Amino acid sequence: MKNLFMLLCLCVPLGLSAAQALPENVYFRAMADEMQRTKKQLRVKGAVKPFFTVYRLTQTEETGVSSVFGVPGQRLAPTSNLSAQVYMYAGDAQNNSSGFLDAHAYSFPSLVKQVSAVPVSYEGIRRVLWKLTDLAYVQASGLYDKKMDYKRRKGLHSQVPDFSFAPQAAYAEEASGLPPLDFSAYQTWADELSAAAKKYPYIEQFSVQFSFQQKTSYFLDSLGDFYQISRPNDQLILTLVLRTRKGYREGLKERIALSRQETPDPAAWTKTVQELLQQAQQLYTAGEAEPYVGPVLLRPAAAAKFFDYLFATEVSHTKSWLSDDSFLEKQFAGGKFKDKLGMRVISALFDVYDRPQLRSYKGRPLTAFMPVDDEGVPAQELQLVKGGKLIALPQARGVSQKGQKSNGRARMFIEWPRADVTNLFFVPKQALSAEAMEEKLLARCRELDLPYCYILPSWQLPMDVTQTEREVPSEIIFAERVYTQDGRKETVHGLKFDALSTRSLRDITAAGDDAQAFAMGSWGERNISVVAPSVLVEEMELVPTERKPAQKPFVPMPR
């Protein structure tokens, strides 16, 4: 059990001297001393002044074991690495360098973002922070000049400040490393689990990996806000590649979060492996897809991705960023929901909450635990949706409208903090059992005189399909076709959504009582969790993909 203290100081003047005492360690000693030097000495005659500076150190420890078809892989020896980040806004609260992208600077972000392999010593950390601070100021002052010039040329005179002040935040918990691990036992379990796939001739690869990671972050800004957070990230990762009967090469991946508070459970892992192998067998014999328009039932794993792609990405990034590059300005224009406060954005069945202070749900870790955001603002629970209507948006210090304040949702996005969500909870006002959800699906399909309808157990992309940062991945590997006459099920392969949009969020007609937590994929440094139940969507359009079978190997895989 971690010993922690949390101090949210609501009424003290902003500044390092007014902050609570920093944790006693080499990281904060180095950051505090270099921050004071930066605040006192970083001045360039005739140039804009630094306004807001952030230092962040991250200590990462990781190790693991793996196995392929029962053969042990190369063990990942325990490693420890300290990295450093510095980001800075130049100017003042009304006008500063934040929220502006320069095409040249964006093309070379590594110059100012971070340094890996920082020496774990007071002198070593200070030298790295000094160097990064210098680079960050060069970038921030350059961006400020270009932003001001851009606003003059465009005639932009916004009264909305670029930076909003907030209550001072201080949060620290005990910094912990990786616990002692029985590598021999985990290797044996990995070998036994991966060997289960050897009897399936159509499976070309099956790897089992136990990955153990501990990240401890140390954050300090020039206003005196700080946090020290230690996050475990232990996983069982199953990766399967098969060639279907019709020649398509597909991949299935399953990530199971491991809790350090629970004893290892090989029986549960074996069950998960058997379910994945059964899924692979169904995919191997799957029939061809046909065009379909009608109701679709999304099980929790598919519903979570549905909500991530259509809701989470559109409710985040609530302030449009400026750029002298039209492509970048379009890419960073923000989510579609930023102008929809008070409007219905999802079915009236749902309330939606963002809960950054929760670490787990039903025993599953939540990946976006964040008591203080990446601009030093306390992060509290935020209700985003009530009865389907959008009532609030995530806000960083750079708010989108005059009078707004940050609600502690600044999260690192590529190079700089931007408003984003953390742990999203989709809470239905009325929840049905799994059986009732399936009955409701079939009943609706009969009303529409459809011979069959679809259930999506998950939403996994084909191996050769990629997507851009904000593009909704439309293709799925497989789905269950359910016949309305007798309830018979069969697996079909090669489907994609046609014209999938946020409209589908409002077309949800029922929700299940089977909510589960899922860690979503990330781009940049984005990392969120979604807690979602099964949902029934009134109408979705599915069409066959245009993918072709992979080239068959000339010689069968050795066994």
Side-chain angles (χ1 to χ4, degrees):
M1 189 76 179
K2 288 185 173 68
N3 298 318
L4 60 86
F5 66 84
M6 184 174 183
L7 302 165
L8 299 178
C9 310
L10 303 180
C11 302
V12 297
L14 294 172
L16 188 58
S17 62
Q20 296 294 320
L22 296 173
E24 282 291 333
N25 56 49
V26 66
Y27 310 105
F28 277 107
R29 285 198 301 274
M31 287 195 296
D33 289 349
E34 195 57 32
M35 184 68 77
Q36 288 292 355
R37 204 164 70 101
T38 294
K39 291 168 66 176
K40 291 179 180 179
Q41 300 182 24
L42 184 51
R43 298 287 187 274
V44 177
K45 188 176 180 179
V48 63
K49 294 180 180 179
F51 172 68
F52 179 72
T53 305
V54 168
Y55 291 164
R56 188 168 72 166
L57 301 173
T58 303
Q59 183 77 46
T60 303
E61 298 178 63
E62 54 190 340
T63 186
V65 299
S66 63
S67 180
V68 178
F69 287 129
V71 179
Q74 185 174 2
R75 177 180 150 191
L76 176 62
T79 60
S80 180
N81 178 68
L82 180 66
S83 63
Q85 284 182 303
V86 174
Y87 42 96
M88 180 185 293
Y89 305 154
D92 54 34
Q94 186 63 35
N95 293 290
N96 61 61
S97 57
S98 66
F100 185 80
L101 290 167
D102 173 62
H104 178 76
Y106 184 77
S107 301
F108 302 95
S110 61
L111 290 177
V112 297
K113 183 181 177 185
Q114 70 176 29
V115 167
S116 299
V118 177
V120 185
S121 68
Y122 174 82
E123 294 81 6
I125 293 171
R126 284 195 64 178
R127 280 195 297 271
V128 169
L129 292 176
W130 161 75
K131 182 177 180 181
L132 288 178
T133 301
D134 199 61
L135 291 170
Y137 176 67
V138 170
Q139 184 189 52
S141 58
L143 287 176
Y144 175 84
D145 291 341
K146 290 183 179 181
K147 180 179 178 180
M148 294 302 104
D149 179 64
Y150 175 89
K151 292 176 73 172
R152 282 191 293 271
R153 285 187 285 108
K154 296 287 185 178
L156 302 178
H157 305 286
S158 174
Q159 297 301 308
V160 181
D162 283 343
F163 188 94
S164 62
F165 290 98
Q168 195 164 0
Y171 179 96
E173 61 188 25
E174 183 181 342
S176 56
L178 286 171
L181 297 167
D182 187 342
F183 288 103
S184 176
Y186 280 106
Q187 186 65 67
T188 299
W189 290 326
D191 293 343
E192 292 174 351
L193 293 171
S194 67
K198 293 173 68 175
K199 63 182 180 181
Y200 300 95
Y202 50 83
I203 295 179
E204 297 185 351
Q205 177 189 340
F206 184 57
S207 67
V208 174
Q209 178 186 3
F210 285 99
S211 173
F212 305 96
Q213 185 187 79
Q214 186 78 28
K215 279 192 175 184
T216 302
S217 298
Y218 308 89
F219 171 102
L220 177 66
D221 68 32
S222 53
L223 299 177
D225 307 298
F226 70 87
Y227 65 70
Q228 176 177 291
I229 300 175
S230 198
R231 298 181 178 93
N233 182 23
D234 301 343
Q235 298 182 83
L236 168 59
I237 305 171
L238 309 176
T239 305
L240 185 151
V241 178
L242 76 151
R243 192 178 297 271
T244 72
R245 188 169 55 186
K246 296 185 180 293
Y248 293 94
R249 196 165 181 263
E250 301 290 11
L252 299 173
K253 196 158 192 172
E254 189 81 26
R255 293 178 180 268
I256 300 95
L258 304 177
S259 173
R260 295 181 188 173
Q261 281 69 49
E262 299 176 1
T263 56
D265 192 350
W269 303 335
T270 299
K271 181 181 178 183
T272 300
V273 167
Q274 292 302 322
E275 290 171 351
L276 188 66
L277 294 174
Q278 183 179 9
Q279 200 176 84
Q281 188 172 25
Q282 293 169 348
L283 184 55
Y284 172 71
T285 59
E288 295 287 346
E290 297 174 352
Y292 171 83
V293 178
V296 176
L297 175 58
L298 307 177
R299 294 298 188 197
K305 289 200 174 182
F306 172 78
F307 286 135
D308 180 34
Y309 296 141
L310 297 181
F311 182 91
T313 57
E314 302 304 345
V315 81
S316 300
H317 303 171
T318 48
K319 184 174 182 178
S320 299
W321 281 10
L322 305 176
S323 178
D324 50 10
D325 183 283
S326 58
F327 174 77
L328 287 178
E329 194 160 64
K330 183 178 180 181
Q331 287 294 104
F332 289 82
K336 294 178 181 177
F337 292 169
K338 68 179 186 296
D339 300 318
K340 294 190 176 181
L341 274 174
M343 300 183 190
R344 189 165 74 90
V345 296
I346 192 173
S347 167
L349 285 170
F350 280 97
D351 294 337
V352 183
Y353 300 86
D354 188 24
R355 292 169 170 159
Q357 293 191 358
L358 293 187
R359 285 187 180 270
S360 63
Y361 177 78
K362 292 183 178 178
R364 284 196 176 192
L366 299 176
T367 58
F369 170 69
M370 187 184 73
V372 180
D373 76 1
D374 287 327
E375 287 181 325
V377 180
Q380 302 293 321
E381 178 173 308
L382 179 66
Q383 184 170 5
L384 298 167
V385 171
K386 184 176 182 180
K389 288 186 178 180
L390 187 65
I391 63 172
L393 290 166
Q395 298 285 356
R397 287 190 185 266
V399 295
S400 53
Q401 296 181 22
K402 190 175 182 180
Q404 292 178 330
K405 296 288 185 182
S406 170
N407 48 33
R409 292 307 188 281
R411 306 194 65 197
M412 288 302 295
F413 181 83
I414 304 178
E415 293 302 309
W416 299 275
R418 202 173 186 194
D420 205 346
V421 291
T422 59
N423 299 315
L424 282 181
F425 283 69
F426 291 83
V427 183
K429 295 181 179 297
Q430 182 180 5
L432 305 177
S433 67
E435 295 77 15
M437 288 288 286
E438 201 161 314
E439 289 172 7
K440 193 173 182 70
L441 169 70
L442 289 170
R444 183 59 179 147
C445 290
R446 293 188 190 107
E447 288 177 6
L448 296 171
D449 198 28
L450 295 171
Y452 58 81
C453 43
Y454 278 109
I455 297 175
L456 264 60
S458 63
W459 190 333
Q460 299 205 42
L461 293 178
M463 291 175 60
D464 57 353
V465 173
T466 59
Q467 77 275 358
T468 61
E469 288 174 354
R470 300 188 68 80
E471 177 186 353
V472 177
S474 60
E475 294 199 23
I476 52 177
I477 295 177
F478 69 96
E480 286 183 347
R481 180 184 289 163
V482 188
Y483 288 89
T484 53
Q485 186 173 4
D486 56 10
R488 176 172 49 91
K489 296 179 181 179
E490 66 179 18
T491 301
V492 296
H493 170 267
L495 286 165
K496 69 177 181 179
F497 293 105
D498 192 26
L500 185 63
S501 74
T502 56
R503 168 73 211 187
S504 296
L505 293 168
R506 303 194 294 275
D507 287 342
I508 297 172
T509 58
D513 61 1
D514 51 357
Q516 298 178 39
F518 299 90
M520 294 295 99
S522 63
W523 44 77
E525 294 187 30
R526 184 173 183 273
N527 184 24
I528 74 169
S529 287
V530 174
V531 177
S534 296
V535 295
L536 177 59
V537 183
E538 170 65 17
E539 182 176 284
M540 302 182 87
E541 187 169 353
L542 296 166
V543 295
T545 64
E546 299 174 357
R547 297 172 65 234
K548 303 297 182 184
Q551 172 67 47
K552 193 173 182 179
F554 296 106
V555 179
M557 186 179 75
R559 289 285 173 180

